Amino acid sequence: MEPILCSNPINTHLSSVLSSKQSKILLTDYRGRNLTGKEIVNYIDTIALDLLSRGIQQKDRVVFLAQPSIESILYFFALTRIGAVIVLADPEMGQQNFIDRITFSEARFILQDPILEKIDRFSFVKPILRMLHIWFPDNLPIARDHKITIKSLSVIKKLPAKSFKEEPLSEDTDLAIIFTSGTTGTPKGVVHSYKSLFAGIKIICDGIPIASEDYIYASQIYFLLIGLNIPARVYVPKPKKFNAKKFLQTVEREKITSTFLLPYEGQQIFSECKKQSRKIPSSLKTLLFGSAPVTKTFLSRLQTVCNADTSVYG
């Protein structure tokens, strides 16, 4: 029997906008890897079929533990092609908090970054990570054989092409469980449907001053997804602590035109520019800040190291 992939508002829209830019490079990372619109669509379907063969089915809840990368973006969209429910739970929120969230979600699978598989395999690494204040759970409420590791792009390219059927999925179907921060009380899991999450992405895409000819720097998976839905070319930086000096070098080298950043990253950029007695590269026309409060004072200070035609939003 042929495997079944789902059509829904998220991947239908993505496939449409990417197909309009089939030969254009839309994904670039710090390693110099590039993917065109056509390649992204094909890889998403290939990964979805591979995940089906690994046992993930429609409506299965899958904990998504991956750093931002070309691979993690492809795997995120592949899960939507299956119709799985993506559980976003951040290990940095604390050990018990993290375990509680996974238990609450009743997830069947963990889709994990390759680095987590290495940590799992080599137990001597864990004490070193704890010395660096990096926590990795030893006893998750999910069986070991239900952990699936994200494959590298070089391996994905070798996966065999398969035929499949396509069936529509109701837009009211659950897509993701996203947990609140818990700053005002106990963290709560908010269930988003395909309709609600797509509406959120669409509102941002329509409301921000970024167009398909732009080149976006974003280190958060959600913002990378938004960039592709425009569709604009997206740059995926190395997943590690933000470094303002390297950010400025990347913007200059890649001719980045737009960014999605966190406020503390903007403050570091301001400090680095002052330290070097320089301004932000002239190619950068739009800086967007979110995920935390942004003050007028912060925006005004940052504007002093921007060029005259650069806009800052928060």
Side-chain angles (χ1 to χ4, degrees):
M1 190 171 72
E2 278 190 316
I4 297 172
L5 297 185
C6 304
S7 60
N8 55 67
I10 295 283
N11 56 55
T12 299
H13 178 262
L14 182 73
S15 180
S16 174
V17 296
L18 293 184
S19 295
S20 68
K21 305 282 183 181
Q22 282 198 35
S23 58
K24 181 182 176 182
I25 293 173
L26 291 175
L27 259 180
T28 297
D29 74 355
Y30 66 97
R31 292 165 58 184
R33 300 183 299 173
N34 296 296
L35 291 184
T36 64
K38 182 179 181 179
E39 288 173 325
I40 294 169
V41 171
N42 290 340
Y43 284 143
I44 288 171
D45 285 351
T46 298
I47 294 167
L49 292 168
D50 183 58
L51 291 177
L52 279 173
S53 72
R54 300 290 300 277
I56 298 180
Q57 300 294 321
Q58 188 180 127
K59 296 185 180 180
D60 277 344
R61 295 186 174 188
V62 182
V63 178
F64 192 80
L65 289 181
Q67 302 177 95
S69 67
I70 284 179
E71 287 87 352
S72 63
I73 294 167
L74 297 175
Y75 269 84
F76 184 96
F77 282 119
L79 288 171
T80 72
R81 284 292 272 153
I82 295 173
V85 182
I86 303 168
V87 180
L88 299 174
D90 185 358
E92 293 183 3
M93 296 300 289
Q95 179 173 348
Q96 194 55 51
N97 196 331
F98 179 65
I99 291 176
D100 287 346
R101 291 176 184 205
I102 291 180
T103 304
F104 169 84
S105 71
E106 299 180 338
R108 286 195 62 225
F109 293 89
I110 287 180
L111 186 61
Q112 65 180 7
D113 200 281
I115 189 66
L116 297 183
E117 181 186 42
K118 292 177 183 177
I119 295 170
D120 221 9
R121 192 185 310 159
F122 304 111
S123 59
F124 67 85
V125 176
K126 293 180 182 178
I128 298 172
L129 291 174
R130 290 191 183 105
M131 287 171 62
L132 299 172
H133 304 290
I134 299 173
W135 175 80
F136 180 71
D138 293 296
N139 300 306
L140 292 174
I142 295 177
R144 180 178 292 272
D145 59 357
H146 279 189
K147 289 181 182 177
I148 297 177
T149 300
I150 288 175
K151 294 176 178 176
S152 67
L153 195 58
S154 59
V155 174
I156 295 168
K157 289 178 180 179
K158 297 175 184 177
L159 292 175
K162 297 179 183 177
S163 60
F164 60 88
K165 292 181 181 179
E166 189 152 354
E167 292 184 357
L169 190 67
S170 169
E171 61 181 14
D172 294 318
T173 302
D174 294 347
L175 165 61
I177 299 175
I178 302 175
F179 289 88
T180 61
S181 64
T183 53
T184 58
T186 304
K188 298 174 179 64
V190 181
V191 181
H192 289 268
S193 66
Y194 281 85
K195 181 179 180 180
S196 65
L197 203 60
F198 176 67
I201 290 173
K202 192 76 166 60
I203 287 170
I204 295 175
C205 287
D206 292 344
I208 59 177
I210 294 179
S212 59
E213 62 269 17
D214 282 311
Y215 190 6
I216 303 169
Y217 175 106
S219 59
Q220 307 289 316
I221 285 183
Y222 183 68
F223 293 128
L224 293 168
L225 303 181
I226 289 171
L228 286 179
N229 274 280
I230 290 176
R233 185 180 179 185
V234 173
Y235 179 86
V236 187
K238 191 172 183 176
K240 62 178 185 178
K241 189 175 181 180
F242 182 77
N243 182 297
K245 183 177 180 180
K246 289 185 178 179
F247 167 81
L248 292 170
Q249 291 170 345
T250 299
V251 170
E252 205 147 39
R253 182 185 70 250
E254 296 287 332
K255 302 292 187 291
I256 300 292
T257 65
S258 308
T259 65
F260 288 102
L261 295 168
L262 301 174
Y264 85 88
E265 294 170 337
Q267 182 57 51
Q268 290 184 30
I269 292 168
F270 170 78
S271 299
E272 185 63 30
C273 286
K274 286 297 185 181
K275 180 180 175 181
Q276 295 185 33
S277 300
R278 61 165 296 172
K279 290 200 170 189
I280 289 172
S282 58
S283 65
L284 192 55
K285 304 298 182 186
T286 306
L287 286 86
L288 293 156
F289 293 93
S291 298
V294 178
T295 65
K296 288 185 179 180
T297 302
F298 163 77
L299 295 176
S300 298
R301 291 180 70 191
L302 194 60
Q303 196 74 58
T304 64
V305 295
C306 291
N307 292 281
D309 56 349
T310 299
S311 299
V312 183
Y313 299 86

